[in-house]
Amino acid sequence: RQDILAAQGPVLHMACAMCLFATLLCIMTVASIGLLVYLAYEYSKHSTDNCDVPLQLWVQVVSLTALFNLACNQHDRYGTLGARIFCGWSFDPENPERPPFRVQFYNMLIPSFTALWNCVGLYWVSKAHEPR
């Protein structure tokens, strides 16, 4: 009996870690959607304001990136639509193989661009001045 309990310990810890991760993922998803809605609301209020940094462009690119990720970057059993369109490659579940370099590059490029663009936006916000 002790051996069984000792063997179940790591499994229970892993189950707790997975539940915690799933909970945090749900919270972060709701927060991300809320921030995107708030961003759209603020953009609708201030889209015609003059700004010394291109924050309107930043918001437009963030919106297009979010739409692109919703439409083209969703994984299904054949890979992503973006990989099929832009890389000409489709995953075959009957014959699984490693994606070619162009698909791996595409899969790294999209999140890297998003992270870099968000950093650029934070930099621009820190340099922006209040309109007088």
Side-chain angles (χ1 to χ4, degrees), residues 37-49 56 59:
V37 168
Y38 177 72
L39 184 66
Y41 169 73
E42 286 296 323
Y43 178 74
S44 69
K45 282 180 23 180
H46 300 286
S47 63
T48 58
D49 293 356
Q56 286 94 348
V59 171

Side-chain angles (χ1 to χ4, degrees), residues 11-132:
V11 173
L12 291 175
H13 283 94
M14 183 57 110
C16 288
M18 289 173 63
C19 287
L20 179 64
F21 176 76
T23 303
L24 288 174
L25 184 64
C26 290
I27 291 169
M28 295 300 286
T29 300
V30 170
S32 178
I33 291 170
L35 287 172
L36 198 58
V37 168
Y38 177 72
L39 184 66
Y41 169 73
E42 286 296 323
Y43 178 74
S44 69
K45 282 180 23 180
H46 300 286
S47 63
T48 58
D49 293 356
N50 288 332
C51 189
D52 56 342
V53 293
L55 289 175
Q56 286 94 348
L57 172 67
W58 181 81
V59 171
Q60 293 166 357
V61 172
V62 166
S63 301
L64 289 174
T65 303
L67 287 174
F68 174 79
N69 285 330
L70 282 173
C72 295
N73 249 9
Q74 297 297 315
H75 286 272
D76 60 14
R77 64 181 292 188
Y78 300 107
T80 64
L81 179 63
R84 289 193 295 271
I85 292 172
F86 301 115
C87 301
W89 183 80
S90 179
F91 179 76
D92 183 9
E94 302 297 323
N95 184 20
E97 62 183 26
R98 185 178 176 152
F101 177 76
R102 68 183 184 275
V103 176
Q104 293 177 19
F105 181 74
Y106 168 80
N107 287 336
M108 287 188 327
L109 181 68
I110 300 301
S112 298
F113 171 77
T114 302
L116 180 67
W117 191 250
N118 286 334
C119 291
V120 167
L122 289 172
Y123 173 75
W124 282 341
V125 166
S126 73
K127 295 299 179 186
H129 299 290
E130 281 286 320
R132 299 184 198 277

